[in-house]
Amino acid sequence: MIYLYAIAEELAELPPVAGVAGAALERRAVDGLELVVSELDGAALEPTEETLLAHARVVDELVPRAGALLPARFGRGFGDEGALVDAVRGRAEALREALRLVRGRVELGVRVVAEGAEPAPEADSGRAYMEARLAQTAERERLAEEVHRPLERLARASTRTVAATPRLVVSGAYLLELDDVEAFRTRVAELQARHPDLAVACTGPWPAYSFAPGDDE
Amino acid sequence: MSAESKRPLEQQITLLELVDRVLNKGVVLTGDIMLSVADVDLVYVGLRVLLASVGTLEELQAEAAER
């Protein structure tokens, strides 16, 4: 099995770190794209702390060594060399487009978390309960937009999701020019000051995980 | 929220962000073989593993139980 870590352009050298299961990193070139892979025994890879961090570490180490880089999702393998080459060629256009987008830019994450889970609304009828729930949802959406809009304006691209867990209000990923990172953090701090009842956390810079072609296109 | 109670939350969020990215984002190519079942629930499985080391396991479990 061949395990994939990232697809890059202008990769200088491989980093001196091991891959998942301690395997040595290798590189393959397919139509001008650089693939970083390792051999993997067997057809299963559990998402443990060790394997997740091994994958993330390889990607982190590759970023400063590449002109542009797209991290691969954890836990994806290919039966043989031919299957990997075919898979890359089948997606080459989307990959090149994404590499152009992320080149020279970094991803920042923003998670906005409310202090406690919202209590289920108290209501004496099913209809009143539903209305109260809808009002909660609308309020979260409004809050999400209020946070996302000013951040989105500083970004080249962005994604966001709302209320995936009881506490989370909004989670966004923002692709930024390096020069804009400081202004972005300042804007996050302003949003935090404006919403003292929320925790507005800014993470990163991350490799551009959120701007790589996934399985939804 | 005080600055004191916020630090572990931010640590938690960084780990959540990392696991979410590695498991749910990143390039997917047609014809690849999924070596692990990486769905949204697994983010929390992975998180519990990671967070066990920073001592916020109970809180996460309680949160998962509410879902």
Side-chain angles (χ1 to χ4, degrees):
Chain A
M1 189 74 63
I2 299 172
Y3 184 87
L4 178 67
Y5 298 88
I7 298 170
E9 284 173 337
E10 293 137 45
L11 179 62
E13 73 285 322
L14 288 173
V17 294
V20 294
L25 298 181
E26 298 173 33
R27 59 198 292 173
R28 304 280 187 272
V30 178
D31 299 347
L33 297 173
E34 298 270 6
L35 318 181
V36 178
V37 301
S38 68
E39 286 290 338
L40 185 71
D41 289 334
L45 189 67
E46 292 306 314
T48 62
E49 174 175 2
E50 198 183 348
T51 58
L52 288 170
L53 291 182
H55 181 104
R57 190 179 312 121
V58 170
V59 172
D60 283 350
E61 292 282 343
L62 286 168
V63 168
R65 293 173 167 85
L69 180 132
L70 299 171
R73 191 172 302 184
F74 175 84
R76 305 296 169 124
F78 298 85
D80 56 37
E81 207 81 28
L84 173 62
V85 170
D86 287 349
V88 171
R89 288 199 170 133
R91 210 78 204 271
E93 203 177 314
L95 293 171
R96 282 182 215 286
E97 194 182 313
L99 283 160
R100 264 197 301 280
L101 177 68
V102 305
R103 179 176 288 270
R105 297 176 179 149
V106 292
E107 175 178 331
L108 267 78
V110 173
R111 244 170 225 262
V112 180
V113 183
E115 196 164 358
E118 281 172 24
E122 278 179 34
D124 35 17
S125 75
R127 184 176 164 183
Y129 175 83
M130 282 311 295
E131 280 171 354
R133 287 296 291 205
L134 284 172
Q136 270 186 354
T137 306
E139 172 59 15
R140 282 188 164 206
E141 181 56 39
R142 189 194 64 74
L143 207 53
E145 268 306 294
E146 207 175 301
V147 172
H148 179 64
R149 277 283 167 75
L151 297 176
E152 185 187 27
R153 271 183 233 121
L154 281 174
R156 294 299 167 139
S158 66
T159 66
R160 102 184 154 101
T161 54
V162 181
T165 73
R167 283 206 326 187
L168 173 65
V169 176
V170 61
S171 163
Y174 302 85
L175 191 67
L176 301 173
E177 302 290 350
L178 286 173
D179 287 349
D180 291 335
V181 170
E182 208 183 318
F184 186 87
R185 288 191 198 279
T186 303
R187 201 164 285 187
V188 170
E190 287 164 8
L191 285 165
Q192 175 66 89
R194 203 174 306 154
H195 297 280
D197 50 330
L198 301 174
V200 184
C202 183
T203 62
W206 300 98
Y209 282 98
S210 303
F211 301 95
D215 48 5
D216 50 358
E217 322 169 23
Chain B
M1 189 178 289
S2 72
E4 229 171 35
S5 66
K6 206 157 151 181
R7 209 163 296 123
L9 179 61
E10 289 197 345
Q11 206 170 22
Q12 224 178 310
I13 287 170
T14 299
L15 286 166
L16 179 65
E17 294 263 303
L18 172 69
V19 174
D20 184 32
R21 280 179 172 74
V22 173
L23 281 182
N24 297 327
K25 309 285 164 61
V27 170
V28 176
L29 299 172
T30 328
D32 61 0
I33 299 163
M34 212 192 281
L35 300 172
S36 72
V37 189
D39 62 18
V40 171
D41 285 347
L42 262 177
V43 169
Y44 300 100
V45 174
L47 249 191
R48 265 174 235 136
V49 172
L50 288 168
L51 290 175
S53 59
V54 293
T56 46
L57 182 61
E58 291 83 349
E59 192 183 334
L60 238 272
Q61 275 169 336
E63 197 174 297
E66 279 172 28
R67 242 188 317 272

